[in-house]
Amino acid sequence: MAFLEELYKEIILTHYKSPKNRGVLADATVSSGGHNPSCGDQVELFLKLDGDRVVEASFDGDGCAISQASASLLTEAVKGKTVEEALALAKKFRAMVVEGKTPDPELGDLAALSGVAQLPSRVKCATLAWNALEEALKGSK
Ligand code: ZN
């Protein structure tokens, strides 16, 4: 268990320090953002859809390690997925961090954020980018 915790911490810090897909996506077809006033986190999510498939994803933002790592991991996870698949993934992520369910294998590295379920004040940090994802994809349908 200690090994897993170390590994999870490492994944979060790596994505926080060297985020993937950071920056405004100039040819995004949908975008959405939000902020978490209790922690000062800000995330703006950009997606490029081709038909019903997410072909590019990026984010811009500022905030704590959990909020920024979650956004970075999200952009990696949804690339190549259909809108339905991305929304299903969001549901699985929420089940993990909000309800404390065992991470679904499909979540991959996102399982690194599973510990957030034990930290109620940080749940909003972890779900910020996912709220933006759902908001952006809702608008695309
Ligand atoms: Zn935060």
Side-chain angles (χ1 to χ4, degrees):
M1 196 60 207
F3 168 74
L4 203 57
E5 270 170 34
E6 281 305 306
L7 179 71
Y8 283 174
K9 210 184 290 173
E10 177 115 11
I11 292 172
I12 292 170
L13 286 178
T14 301
H15 278 268
Y16 176 54
K17 288 181 187 153
S18 316
K20 306 268 186 190
N21 313 305
R22 177 133 193 209
V24 176
L25 190 63
D27 57 350
T29 51
V30 292
S31 70
S32 180
H35 72 297
N36 171 21
S38 62
C39 184
D41 307 320
Q42 221 150 5
V43 166
E44 186 83 29
L45 188 69
F46 304 90
L47 302 171
K48 183 183 177 185
L49 297 175
D50 182 8
D52 77 334
R53 196 169 289 277
V54 180
V55 289
E56 278 297 336
S58 81
F59 81 99
D60 208 4
D62 208 0
C64 71
I66 290 174
S67 67
Q68 304 303 302
S70 183
S72 173
L73 284 157
L74 179 155
T75 57
E76 285 287 278
V78 300
K79 243 191 270 182
K81 285 197 164 44
T82 65
V83 169
E84 289 301 321
E85 287 166 349
L87 289 172
L89 192 73
K91 219 177 216 180
K92 286 171 180 169
F93 182 80
R94 223 176 269 286
M96 175 180 79
V97 299
V98 180
E99 296 162 39
K101 297 239 168 81
T102 307
D104 187 281
E106 213 194 301
L107 288 166
D109 278 356
L110 286 161
L113 291 160
S114 57
V116 170
Q118 297 344 297
L119 310 163
S121 64
R122 311 311 294 278
V123 169
K124 278 186 185 160
C125 305
T127 53
L128 186 58
W130 297 85
N131 293 339
L133 175 75
E134 287 172 337
E135 205 51 45
L137 292 180
K138 232 189 278 165
S140 78
K141 291 184 128 181

